[in-house]
Amino acid sequence: MTKPGKLTEQEYKLIKTHTTKGFEIIKHVRHYKNSGILDIVLYHHERFDGKGYPKGLNGEEIPLVARIVAVADSFDAMSSKQNSN
């Protein structure tokens, strides 16, 4: 994530797989099944306008816990000093 400049389309497609790959890795953890953690991992990049990923959910289709984490993640991205190597 320290690449200078924009990602290529192929790089962006690869980055977007982290939600489903993360979900696949942890979906078998019994404690996570009813805790909301799986929803956070899978849906934290969905957008209220339906332009997010991985499924293009919109509005209240997106689980509340994932919407909350998306806001926190966006705030962190906007307020954190980025690495400038």
Side-chain angles (χ1 to χ4, degrees), residues 1-12 15 83-85:
M1 295 305 302
T2 59
K3 176 186 175 184
K6 284 188 161 189
L7 297 174
T8 67
E9 187 175 326
Q10 187 65 21
E11 289 168 332
Y12 186 55
I15 292 292
N83 227 356
S84 56
N85 292 336

Side-chain angles (χ1 to χ4, degrees), residues 47-62:
R47 288 180 29 179
F48 214 74
D49 64 4
K51 294 181 181 179
Y53 61 89
K55 295 189 177 184
L57 301 179
N58 68 340
E60 293 185 8
E61 293 176 332
I62 306 165

Side-chain angles (χ1 to χ4, degrees), residues 13-70:
K13 282 182 182 179
L14 181 63
I15 292 292
K16 291 192 317 184
T17 66
H18 83 276
T19 57
T20 53
K21 287 182 179 181
F23 174 82
E24 289 298 319
I25 291 168
I26 67 169
K27 72 181 183 183
H28 304 291
V29 178
R30 188 178 324 128
H31 174 72
Y32 293 167
K33 295 215 186 282
N34 297 313
S35 67
I37 293 172
L38 295 177
D39 285 341
I40 291 169
V41 171
L42 188 57
Y43 300 123
H44 70 281
H45 282 291
E46 295 289 356
R47 288 180 29 179
F48 214 74
D49 64 4
K51 294 181 181 179
Y53 61 89
K55 295 189 177 184
L57 301 179
N58 68 340
E60 293 185 8
E61 293 176 332
I62 306 165
L64 179 60
V65 291
R67 286 185 269 157
I68 292 168
V69 169

